[in-house]
Tab-separated table of all heavy atoms in Angstrom:
chain	number	residue	atom	x	y	z
R	1	SER	N	13.972	0.651	-11.805
R	1	SER	CA	12.507	0.634	-12.043
R	1	SER	C	11.790	1.465	-10.997
R	1	SER	O	12.277	1.692	-9.895
R	1	SER	CB	12.009	-0.801	-12.065
R	1	SER	OG	12.109	-1.361	-10.759
R	2	CYS	N	10.553	1.853	-11.349
R	2	CYS	CA	9.783	2.666	-10.433
R	2	CYS	C	9.457	1.924	-9.165
R	2	CYS	O	9.453	2.512	-8.059
R	2	CYS	CB	8.478	3.098	-11.113
R	2	CYS	SG	7.472	4.269	-10.202
R	3	LEU	N	9.223	0.621	-9.267
R	3	LEU	CA	8.909	-0.163	-8.070
R	3	LEU	C	10.126	-0.234	-7.141
R	3	LEU	O	9.975	-0.096	-5.912
R	3	LEU	CB	8.459	-1.565	-8.477
R	3	LEU	CG	8.104	-2.501	-7.340
R	3	LEU	CD1	6.911	-1.949	-6.568
R	3	LEU	CD2	7.775	-3.908	-7.879
R	4	MET	N	11.315	-0.422	-7.670
R	4	MET	CA	12.510	-0.481	-6.859
R	4	MET	C	12.821	0.869	-6.268
R	4	MET	O	13.329	0.961	-5.088
R	4	MET	CB	13.700	-0.994	-7.683
R	4	MET	CG	13.503	-2.396	-8.231
R	4	MET	SD	13.142	-3.641	-6.944
R	4	MET	CE	14.637	-3.580	-5.993
R	5	LYS	N	12.536	1.945	-6.964
R	5	LYS	CA	12.716	3.284	-6.407
R	5	LYS	C	11.812	3.481	-5.187
R	5	LYS	O	12.219	4.035	-4.147
R	5	LYS	CB	12.407	4.333	-7.435
R	5	LYS	CG	13.334	4.440	-8.595
R	5	LYS	CD	12.879	5.502	-9.570
R	5	LYS	CE	13.734	5.527	-10.812
R	5	LYS	NZ	13.265	6.526	-11.769
R	6	THR	N	10.561	3.039	-5.290
R	6	THR	CA	9.634	3.165	-4.189
R	6	THR	C	10.076	2.362	-2.953
R	6	THR	O	9.927	2.825	-1.823
R	6	THR	CB	8.221	2.753	-4.648
R	6	THR	OG1	7.854	3.449	-5.802
R	6	THR	CG2	7.196	2.987	-3.554
R	7	ARG	N	10.626	1.179	-3.228
R	7	ARG	CA	11.063	0.368	-2.122
R	7	ARG	C	12.298	0.954	-1.449
R	7	ARG	O	12.476	0.763	-0.216
R	7	ARG	CB	11.381	-1.044	-2.609
R	7	ARG	CG	10.135	-1.854	-2.997
R	7	ARG	CD	10.535	-3.219	-3.564
R	7	ARG	NE	9.378	-4.057	-3.863
R	7	ARG	CZ	9.438	-5.246	-4.411
R	7	ARG	NH1	10.635	-5.786	-4.679
R	7	ARG	NH2	8.372	-5.933	-4.662
R	8	SER	N	13.162	1.592	-2.190
R	8	SER	CA	14.406	2.139	-1.598
R	8	SER	C	14.183	3.432	-0.881
R	8	SER	O	15.035	3.808	-0.042
R	8	SER	CB	15.424	2.363	-2.742
R	8	SER	OG	14.917	3.303	-3.683
R	9	SER	N	13.074	4.136	-1.104
R	9	SER	CA	12.817	5.374	-0.421
R	9	SER	C	11.833	5.109	0.731
R	9	SER	O	10.731	4.617	0.540
R	9	SER	CB	12.214	6.398	-1.384
R	9	SER	OG	11.786	7.573	-0.705
R	10	GLN	N	12.256	5.429	1.975
R	10	GLN	CA	11.433	5.075	3.105
R	10	GLN	C	10.088	5.838	3.153
R	10	GLN	O	9.072	5.214	3.367
R	10	GLN	CB	12.197	5.348	4.414
R	10	GLN	CG	11.456	4.928	5.682
R	10	GLN	CD	12.290	5.095	6.924
R	10	GLN	OE1	13.462	5.531	6.860
R	10	GLN	NE2	11.747	4.727	8.065
R	11	PRO	N	10.040	7.156	2.901
R	11	PRO	CA	8.738	7.823	2.905
R	11	PRO	C	7.812	7.287	1.865
R	11	PRO	O	6.617	7.064	2.130
R	11	PRO	CB	9.115	9.295	2.695
R	11	PRO	CG	10.519	9.445	3.110
R	11	PRO	CD	11.160	8.127	2.756
R	12	ALA	N	8.346	7.082	0.644
R	12	ALA	CA	7.485	6.570	-0.430
R	12	ALA	C	7.003	5.157	-0.132
R	12	ALA	O	5.836	4.809	-0.376
R	12	ALA	CB	8.289	6.599	-1.749
R	13	PHE	N	7.888	4.346	0.415
R	13	PHE	CA	7.514	2.963	0.781
R	13	PHE	C	6.400	2.951	1.833
R	13	PHE	O	5.480	2.193	1.756
R	13	PHE	CB	8.724	2.235	1.220
R	13	PHE	CG	8.434	0.763	1.591
R	13	PHE	CD1	8.195	-0.159	0.621
R	13	PHE	CD2	8.386	0.375	2.924
R	13	PHE	CE1	7.945	-1.501	0.964
R	13	PHE	CE2	8.103	-0.918	3.279
R	13	PHE	CZ	7.872	-1.867	2.300
R	14	VAL	N	6.523	3.827	2.841
R	14	VAL	CA	5.503	3.887	3.893
R	14	VAL	C	4.148	4.314	3.343
R	14	VAL	O	3.131	3.689	3.615
R	14	VAL	CB	5.969	4.860	5.005
R	14	VAL	CG1	4.819	5.082	5.995
R	14	VAL	CG2	7.180	4.270	5.703
R	15	PHE	N	4.122	5.369	2.510
R	15	PHE	CA	2.879	5.826	1.960
R	15	PHE	C	2.259	4.773	1.081
R	15	PHE	O	1.051	4.500	1.101
R	15	PHE	CB	3.138	7.118	1.152
R	15	PHE	CG	3.270	8.347	2.003
R	15	PHE	CD1	4.337	9.229	1.767
R	15	PHE	CD2	2.380	8.617	3.047
R	15	PHE	CE1	4.475	10.363	2.562
R	15	PHE	CE2	2.530	9.776	3.803
R	15	PHE	CZ	3.574	10.626	3.579
R	16	ARG	N	3.087	4.127	0.245
R	16	ARG	CA	2.558	3.114	-0.686
R	16	ARG	C	2.030	1.902	0.121
R	16	ARG	O	1.001	1.309	-0.279
R	16	ARG	CB	3.642	2.652	-1.640
R	16	ARG	CG	3.114	1.922	-2.850
R	16	ARG	CD	2.361	2.841	-3.769
R	16	ARG	NE	1.655	2.075	-4.812
R	16	ARG	CZ	0.380	1.735	-4.716
R	16	ARG	NH1	-0.361	2.060	-3.646
R	16	ARG	NH2	-0.203	1.076	-5.713
R	17	THR	N	2.717	1.516	1.149
R	17	THR	CA	2.248	0.398	1.959
R	17	THR	C	0.894	0.698	2.652
R	17	THR	O	0.029	-0.137	2.696
R	17	THR	CB	3.291	0.034	3.040
R	17	THR	OG1	4.553	-0.247	2.410
R	17	THR	CG2	2.848	-1.182	3.847
R	18	ILE	N	0.784	1.916	3.125
R	18	ILE	CA	-0.489	2.335	3.750
R	18	ILE	C	-1.626	2.246	2.693
R	18	ILE	O	-2.727	1.799	3.026
R	18	ILE	CB	-0.373	3.746	4.320
R	18	ILE	CG1	0.565	3.770	5.491
R	18	ILE	CG2	-1.749	4.278	4.761
R	18	ILE	CD1	0.857	5.147	6.043
R	19	GLY	N	-1.378	2.684	1.480
R	19	GLY	CA	-2.384	2.589	0.460
R	19	GLY	C	-2.787	1.175	0.144
R	19	GLY	O	-4.001	0.875	-0.014
R	20	ILE	N	-1.827	0.234	0.063
R	20	ILE	CA	-2.130	-1.159	-0.226
R	20	ILE	C	-2.936	-1.771	0.930
R	20	ILE	O	-3.925	-2.487	0.731
R	20	ILE	CB	-0.836	-1.935	-0.466
R	20	ILE	CG1	-0.183	-1.435	-1.737
R	20	ILE	CG2	-1.122	-3.430	-0.605
R	20	ILE	CD1	1.218	-2.054	-1.998
R	21	VAL	N	-2.520	-1.477	2.163
R	21	VAL	CA	-3.242	-1.977	3.330
R	21	VAL	C	-4.659	-1.452	3.352
R	21	VAL	O	-5.627	-2.179	3.650
R	21	VAL	CB	-2.507	-1.612	4.644
R	21	VAL	CG1	-3.349	-1.990	5.869
R	21	VAL	CG2	-1.152	-2.352	4.694
R	22	ALA	N	-4.849	-0.189	3.040
R	22	ALA	CA	-6.210	0.399	2.968
R	22	ALA	C	-7.032	-0.300	1.880
R	22	ALA	O	-8.266	-0.509	2.089
R	22	ALA	CB	-6.102	1.905	2.692
R	23	GLN	N	-6.467	-0.651	0.787
R	23	GLN	CA	-7.171	-1.373	-0.261
R	23	GLN	C	-7.696	-2.715	0.292
R	23	GLN	O	-8.849	-3.082	0.084
R	23	GLN	CB	-6.290	-1.611	-1.470
R	23	GLN	CG	-6.247	-0.445	-2.438
R	23	GLN	CD	-5.422	-0.772	-3.660
R	23	GLN	OE1	-4.198	-0.723	-3.640
R	23	GLN	NE2	-6.093	-1.150	-4.732
R	24	VAL	N	-6.803	-3.459	0.946
R	24	VAL	CA	-7.175	-4.769	1.482
R	24	VAL	C	-8.282	-4.618	2.526
R	24	VAL	O	-9.277	-5.369	2.519
R	24	VAL	CB	-5.954	-5.470	2.070
R	24	VAL	CG1	-6.349	-6.772	2.734
R	24	VAL	CG2	-4.911	-5.716	0.995
R	25	ILE	N	-8.170	-3.618	3.422
R	25	ILE	CA	-9.178	-3.467	4.463
R	25	ILE	C	-10.499	-3.021	3.828
R	25	ILE	O	-11.564	-3.525	4.293
R	25	ILE	CB	-8.691	-2.396	5.462
R	25	ILE	CG1	-7.480	-2.897	6.252
R	25	ILE	CG2	-9.815	-1.990	6.457
R	25	ILE	CD1	-6.873	-1.888	7.165
R	26	SER	N	-10.481	-2.199	2.850
R	26	SER	CA	-11.701	-1.764	2.196
R	26	SER	C	-12.424	-2.949	1.555
R	26	SER	O	-13.660	-3.052	1.630
R	26	SER	CB	-11.437	-0.683	1.156
R	26	SER	OG	-10.638	-1.167	0.118
R	27	VAL	N	-11.646	-3.845	0.929
R	27	VAL	CA	-12.259	-5.031	0.294
R	27	VAL	C	-12.915	-5.909	1.389
R	27	VAL	O	-14.053	-6.403	1.182
R	27	VAL	CB	-11.184	-5.814	-0.494
R	27	VAL	CG1	-11.758	-7.180	-0.905
R	27	VAL	CG2	-10.755	-5.048	-1.689
R	28	LEU	N	-12.246	-6.086	2.499
R	28	LEU	CA	-12.840	-6.898	3.559
R	28	LEU	C	-14.128	-6.254	4.131
R	28	LEU	O	-15.102	-6.975	4.380
R	28	LEU	CB	-11.817	-7.084	4.697
R	28	LEU	CG	-10.537	-7.877	4.326
R	28	LEU	CD1	-9.583	-7.937	5.514
R	28	LEU	CD2	-10.901	-9.277	3.838
R	29	ILE	N	-14.081	-4.947	4.295
R	29	ILE	CA	-15.287	-4.280	4.786
R	29	ILE	C	-16.446	-4.378	3.777
R	29	ILE	O	-17.625	-4.582	4.127
R	29	ILE	CB	-14.989	-2.794	5.079
R	29	ILE	CG1	-13.988	-2.690	6.228
R	29	ILE	CG2	-16.266	-2.035	5.453
R	29	ILE	CD1	-13.552	-1.273	6.535
R	30	ILE	N	-16.123	-4.236	2.490
R	30	ILE	CA	-17.155	-4.398	1.430
R	30	ILE	C	-17.791	-5.765	1.462
R	30	ILE	O	-18.999	-5.910	1.377
R	30	ILE	CB	-16.533	-4.100	0.063
R	30	ILE	CG1	-16.172	-2.615	-0.075
R	30	ILE	CG2	-17.508	-4.490	-1.048
R	30	ILE	CD1	-15.382	-2.275	-1.303
R	31	ILE	N	-16.970	-6.790	1.602
R	31	ILE	CA	-17.516	-8.145	1.663
R	31	ILE	C	-18.410	-8.330	2.894
R	31	ILE	O	-19.506	-8.908	2.787
R	31	ILE	CB	-16.330	-9.164	1.701
R	31	ILE	CG1	-15.576	-9.139	0.378
R	31	ILE	CG2	-16.884	-10.585	1.972
R	31	ILE	CD1	-14.329	-9.977	0.386
R	32	GLY	N	-17.999	-7.780	4.034
R	32	GLY	CA	-18.844	-7.872	5.242
R	32	GLY	C	-20.142	-7.123	5.086
R	32	GLY	O	-21.214	-7.658	5.450
R	33	LEU	N	-20.126	-5.934	4.478
R	33	LEU	CA	-21.358	-5.194	4.276
R	33	LEU	C	-22.281	-5.891	3.280
R	33	LEU	O	-23.487	-5.902	3.443
R	33	LEU	CB	-21.027	-3.775	3.770
R	33	LEU	CG	-20.358	-2.849	4.800
R	33	LEU	CD1	-19.983	-1.516	4.174
R	33	LEU	CD2	-21.301	-2.587	5.978
């Protein structure tokens, strides 16, 4: 599956993790604003 491919590839996993973390941080900043 596409999700398992992303987890098995280190560059893809790093980029995807950064995107998810950015989503969470943006939501927290929006709530604070």
Side-chain angles (χ1 to χ4, degrees):
S1 67
C2 186
L3 181 62
M4 298 305 296
K5 292 178 185 178
T6 305
R7 290 178 176 177
S8 60
S9 175
Q10 184 175 1
F13 180 75
V14 171
F15 283 132
R16 196 71 189 97
T17 303
I18 293 174
I20 295 174
V21 172
Q23 277 183 278
V24 175
I25 294 176
S26 64
V27 169
L28 296 177
I29 295 176
I30 290 171
I31 294 174
L33 290 176

